Amino acid sequence: MKSTFFTFLTLFLLFACKKESSDKLSDWQIISENVQFKDEANTFQLKSGKFNYHIANAKLPFQKVILLNASLVGYFTELGLEDKIIGISSPEYIFSEKVHQLMKEGKIQDVGNEQKYNVEKIIALKPDAIFTNYIASFDNTYDLIKKNGIEIIFLDEYLEQNPLEKSKYLLVFGKLLGEEKKSILRFNEIKSSYDSLKTLAKKSEEKPLVLANEMYGNQWFLPGGNTNLAQFIADANAVYINAKNTESKAVPMSFEEVFTKSKNAEFWVNVGNHQSKKELLQINPNYDKMNVFNHEKLYTVIGKEQGKSNDYFESGVVRADLILKDYVKIFHPELLPNYNLTYMKELK
């Protein structure tokens, strides 16, 4: 009898602990494994990688921010929040016309680049916050800025391998910049569009074999099977040549290895930012040995490029649905007969 009692007591405590743990977890809005946030009485808590932020609600929403990465601009353009940007680095890599117009009007300042940020200007602008990817070698610069009372928030969206989780960073910016409802609406629209395209792609009985990326020097950095690109190709109902690989990063391979794996490839995507197949061949004559180069279709990511800027790396970071739509159009053109590619362009 005593044994039975202790058994029930143990089970009760186990379930109680699990429930408590579940309740605590449910307090957090999960963006991805790397990012989550929650509201408390007087504080907004944000976890981003190894960084934890406790921001007083009285400081929100932020009104003046600086962006040190072009990839973060896409979230602001998606939410119509360009007017809250007062400083930006490396403007030559920014695609947004509105951001460039605001720079001409003097409302957004150039604060340098990754080689040398203009720390004095950054401090003088007195932003409510700075958003950037974390780079360990810049710790001294970050510390100097923090000592002047400026909040630096590190958001490494480029680490996300799930396309929609990258889009979901919209919710973080919505909370911090006073557009929570709009950010939820836009993310839900992007997710719905993405899911519909994924379902549409499955209607095709064809699943073409796909090669990606190109050689740099003597190595071909082929994205692993758990990367963002591999996910897009799978969701577009195609077979990626490196899908069985378990890496979530690019895997260096020799030309011979890729040549063998891609023998039957019908498409070659993300072929850098080249303007022609002739240009590609000048970089590496070995491509001429590949069947996919000579007889199949190649696509670059220069569909929305202007100068040094490329919208694939800006709005494309947020619009996972439009990137997927491009891939569906490429692999199964009959499913989207009236659609013109947004970010991709055929290389001829």
Side-chain angles (χ1 to χ4, degrees):
M1 187 71 177
K2 187 179 290 185
S3 174
T4 303
F5 170 76
F6 280 115
T7 300
F8 278 117
L9 179 61
T10 301
L11 288 171
F12 172 78
L13 291 173
L14 179 63
F15 284 119
C17 287
K18 282 187 176 180
K19 184 179 187 304
E20 183 180 352
S21 175
S22 177
D23 289 343
K24 285 183 178 179
L25 185 63
S26 67
D27 290 340
W28 291 87
Q29 169 67 61
I30 308 298
I31 303 300
S32 69
E33 287 185 2
N34 300 316
V35 175
Q36 49 194 273
F37 64 78
K38 74 172 178 177
D39 277 313
E40 290 193 335
N42 302 307
T43 308
F44 175 77
Q45 288 194 51
L46 171 66
K47 294 180 181 179
S48 180
K50 66 179 182 179
F51 299 98
N52 294 302
Y53 302 92
H54 303 272
I55 303 169
N57 287 335
K59 293 184 177 181
L60 299 176
F62 294 142
Q63 300 299 332
K64 303 184 302 177
V65 304
I66 290 176
L67 305 181
L68 299 184
N69 293 92
S71 60
L72 299 178
V73 174
Y75 296 100
F76 284 74
T77 57
E78 190 64 33
L79 297 174
L81 294 171
E82 297 96 332
D83 291 337
K84 291 202 174 188
I85 304 171
I86 60 169
I88 204 153
S89 72
S90 303
E92 66 273 21
Y93 293 105
I94 304 298
F95 186 86
S96 168
E97 289 184 12
K98 184 167 183 180
V99 168
H100 284 290
Q101 182 58 41
L102 289 170
M103 291 195 74
K104 287 179 183 177
E105 296 171 7
K107 295 176 181 177
I108 296 179
Q109 299 295 313
D110 180 353
V111 297
N113 54 51
E114 289 186 355
Q115 277 67 51
K116 186 172 177 59
Y117 291 124
N118 190 330
V119 178
E120 289 184 1
K121 181 183 278 191
I122 290 172
I123 293 170
L125 285 170
K126 297 180 179 179
D128 296 329
I130 294 173
F131 293 100
T132 183
N133 298 154
Y134 174 69
I135 302 175
S137 59
F138 291 165
D139 274 341
N140 289 337
T141 301
Y142 299 147
D143 288 340
L144 180 57
I145 292 171
K146 289 176 184 177
K147 286 176 181 176
N148 281 272
I150 300 172
E151 186 85 64
I152 300 183
I153 298 176
F154 300 110
L155 291 169
D156 295 330
E157 86 297 328
Y158 68 94
L159 294 176
E160 304 296 349
Q161 300 306 331
N162 181 311
L164 284 173
E165 286 181 350
K166 192 175 289 193
S167 300
K168 201 173 182 180
Y169 276 55
L170 279 169
L171 274 59
V172 178
F173 289 103
K175 288 290 292 186
L176 293 171
L177 298 163
E179 288 289 355
E180 182 176 7
K181 289 183 180 179
K182 187 173 184 179
S183 67
I184 294 171
L185 176 64
R186 288 301 300 126
F187 172 69
N188 286 339
E189 288 173 345
I190 291 169
K191 184 178 185 304
S192 177
S193 173
Y194 190 99
D195 291 341
S196 295
L197 287 162
K198 188 176 175 180
T199 299
L200 176 66
K202 289 179 181 177
K203 292 184 178 180
S204 175
E205 295 181 1
E206 301 294 325
K207 294 188 72 170
L209 189 65
V210 182
L211 167 66
N213 286 19
E214 60 178 307
M215 291 196 76
Y216 290 94
N218 296 320
Q219 292 185 311
W220 195 309
F221 290 89
L222 203 62
N226 284 328
T227 58
N228 189 275
L229 179 60
Q231 186 68 57
F232 273 124
I233 293 173
D235 289 345
N237 195 26
V239 178
Y240 175 44
I241 67 165
N242 208 28
K244 292 182 180 179
N245 178 276
T246 58
E247 291 287 344
S248 57
K249 59 184 179 182
V251 182
M253 292 187 180
S254 67
F255 174 80
E256 289 74 21
E257 287 176 295
V258 177
F259 178 82
T260 301
K261 288 172 83 68
S262 64
K263 183 173 59 175
N264 298 315
E266 298 173 59
F267 294 95
W268 182 358
V269 300
N270 289 39
V271 194
N273 60 346
H274 306 291
Q275 300 297 324
S276 68
K277 291 177 71 174
K278 182 179 179 181
E279 178 186 318
L280 185 63
L281 206 56
Q282 288 173 344
I283 295 171
N284 195 321
N286 281 328
Y287 293 143
D288 195 38
K289 301 174 183 178
M290 304 176 74
N291 180 69
V292 67
F293 178 86
N294 290 302
H295 304 294
E296 307 295 351
K297 292 193 172 186
L298 284 67
Y299 290 86
T300 68
V301 292
I302 61 170
K304 291 185 74 178
E305 191 176 54
Q306 188 171 333
K308 292 182 178 180
S309 68
N310 188 331
D311 204 28
Y312 174 82
F313 301 107
E314 193 168 308
S315 73
V317 172
V318 186
R319 295 302 304 271
D321 59 325
L322 290 181
I323 291 182
L324 180 61
K325 196 170 188 177
D326 274 8
Y327 285 126
V328 174
K329 173 69 175 183
I330 289 169
F331 304 144
H332 312 290
E334 74 285 356
L335 298 177
L336 294 167
N338 301 315
Y339 174 67
N340 294 317
L341 297 175
T342 300
Y343 300 109
M344 316 292 173
K345 183 178 181 180
E346 186 173 358
L347 191 66
K348 296 183 178 179

